[in-house]
Amino acid sequence: MNVDRRVWLNGDWVAWQDATLHVLSHAAQRGSLVFDYMSVYQNPQGAAIFRLPEHLERFYRSCELIDLHLDYDPAELTAAVIETVRLNPGVRAIKLNAFIASIEIDVVPVDDEVHVAIAAYDPKADVLDRKSKTTPARAATCKLWIEKEIHNRREDIVSPQAKVSANYVSTMGAKARARSAGYDEILLVDEFGQVAETPTANLFMVDGEGVLITPPVNRVLLGVTRSTILELAAASAVEVREAPIFPDELLRASEVFLTGTTAGVWPVVSIDGGTVGAGEVGPVATLLQERFETVIGGRDPAFAHWLQSV
Ligand SMILES: Cc1ncc(COP(=O)(O)O)c(C=O)c1O
């Protein structure tokens, strides 16, 4: 796939098709690839990266959790991300990667140099639209399936806080099966039976008293959109609580929605085939979706600091 984009690789620029990895590399064979993914909004004022410092902080934390030692400091990576967006006009997303590229025979690499690659691209135009097969466009509302066999990432295996490629593979088959059964997304429950997150989004519910609840951050990935929604809810006088949620509470919720860099604020209208609340997008989701859109569109001066102009 030849895409006219330049990728930042260990301080140099390489063509998109040259940003490759050997099949026997440690990253491919043992899953030692940490990443973070953030949005670039093409606003009337120009391109803006959403919450770059928070994404970088999570990237460093993920690396630390799996013992990848980065040679670059946050200021160097901040400058590299901004430059990558500048050099690739019209992009909508950035993927920041750290990985062990060397060919190894053991789980502990002999050559433990951590490579860093930054790719900025348009997920639709540069990736999806170039496939020979099409996937259905994401609906405005989500039909959710509570996954019954696969559990969420476990603290004692690979922390749910680490955005590491190996942490995602268990959900590949489970999500594909749910899709074939007509659902849009799967919700993972943890080993204690508590609701956690979807493969790439956090979950919120509104209870009978109108309180917005999301699972505690030690059980799920610290989603940047999750933090954003918690702040926007507080600024909108919506009462918020971080607390464990069990599936039966979720099934009684008046509203449920997902949050993520790709999902944005995605209202859930049914779970396991049963309707959530009135089966329509509820008032809290509508309010927060609108506030989020205003912020990312650069129209809310109170949160302008979340947008890094390029
Ligand atoms: C496991 C998991 N949970 C939640 C999220 C949402 O995080 P963010 O809002 O930072 O995109 C992601 C993002 O991909 C994720 O991988």
Side-chain angles (χ1 to χ4, degrees):
M1 196 166 50
N2 198 352
V3 176
D4 188 18
R5 300 272 181 217
R6 280 194 280 169
V7 176
W8 189 95
L9 183 62
N10 302 322
D12 288 324
W13 298 101
V14 298
W16 174 275
Q17 65 273 19
D18 296 331
T20 55
L21 198 58
H22 197 281
V23 68
L24 296 179
S25 63
H26 192 274
Q29 293 288 330
R30 311 293 185 180
S32 59
L33 183 143
V34 157
F35 66 97
D36 215 285
Y37 185 68
M38 62 200 108
S39 290
V40 179
Y41 298 112
Q42 298 291 340
N43 289 331
Q45 312 91 300
I49 305 169
F50 190 61
R51 306 200 73 175
L52 175 56
E54 290 82 358
H55 281 284
L56 270 178
E57 196 179 316
R58 187 172 67 186
F59 181 65
Y60 277 89
R61 171 99 183 104
S62 296
C63 287
E64 207 178 284
L65 282 167
I66 68 152
D67 289 309
L68 289 189
H69 306 290
L70 288 171
D71 286 336
Y72 300 96
D73 65 31
E76 288 170 310
L77 288 188
T78 299
V81 167
I82 294 172
E83 199 50 30
T84 307
V85 174
R86 276 200 195 120
L87 272 181
N88 291 283
V91 298
R92 300 191 177 274
I94 300 159
K95 204 161 222 180
L96 187 55
N97 311 272
F99 51 98
I100 300 202
S102 87
I103 296 172
E104 297 289 337
I105 58 167
D106 192 9
V107 288
V108 180
V110 176
D111 174 2
D112 62 358
E113 186 196 346
V114 177
H115 291 232
V116 176
I118 305 169
Y121 54 103
D122 179 337
K124 186 173 181 311
D126 296 335
V127 182
L128 276 187
D129 290 353
R130 292 166 187 261
K131 305 262 177 224
S132 52
K133 291 191 269 183
T134 52
T135 47
R138 198 157 59 81
T141 55
C142 172
K143 295 197 283 280
L144 189 66
W145 168 252
I146 302 179
E147 169 57 30
K148 313 291 186 296
E149 287 164 26
I150 304 295
H151 285 95
N152 199 35
R153 305 144 179 90
R154 282 174 57 148
E155 193 65 51
D156 57 348
I157 301 176
V158 185
S159 166
Q161 297 288 324
K163 263 182 98 64
V164 50
S165 63
N167 238 352
Y168 289 78
V169 75
S170 68
T171 59
M172 180 173 76
K175 182 163 171 172
R177 282 188 290 279
R179 270 202 183 149
S180 307
Y183 297 96
D184 299 308
E185 189 52 277
I186 58 170
L187 174 65
L188 299 160
V189 169
D190 67 18
E191 70 271 33
F192 306 112
Q194 295 169 7
V195 163
E197 58 195 326
T198 82
T200 56
N202 292 108
L203 175 131
F204 285 81
M205 64 163 263
V206 180
D207 73 4
E209 268 82 60
V211 180
L212 183 63
I213 309 173
T214 193
V217 77
N218 59 330
R219 309 297 313 155
V220 295
L221 183 82
L222 179 55
V224 174
T225 323
R226 175 188 180 280
S227 312
T228 300
I229 290 306
L230 285 172
E231 283 195 52
L232 293 181
S236 311
V238 174
E239 191 182 335
V240 293
R241 192 182 303 150
E242 294 177 62
I245 300 171
F246 285 90
D248 60 325
E249 295 171 77
L250 190 68
L251 297 173
R252 292 196 306 270
S254 57
E255 291 183 50
V256 175
F257 59 86
L258 306 176
T259 65
T261 297
T262 302
V265 177
W266 196 18
V268 173
V269 289
S270 79
I271 301 179
D272 288 4
T275 54
V276 172
E280 290 167 2
V281 183
V284 178
T286 303
L287 170 84
L288 293 171
Q289 209 172 26
E290 282 172 7
R291 277 212 83 162
F292 182 65
E293 294 292 326
T294 307
V295 168
I296 64 180
R299 299 185 301 278
D300 188 340
F303 294 101
H305 58 284
W306 284 347
L307 295 168
Q308 163 73 56
S309 55
V310 172

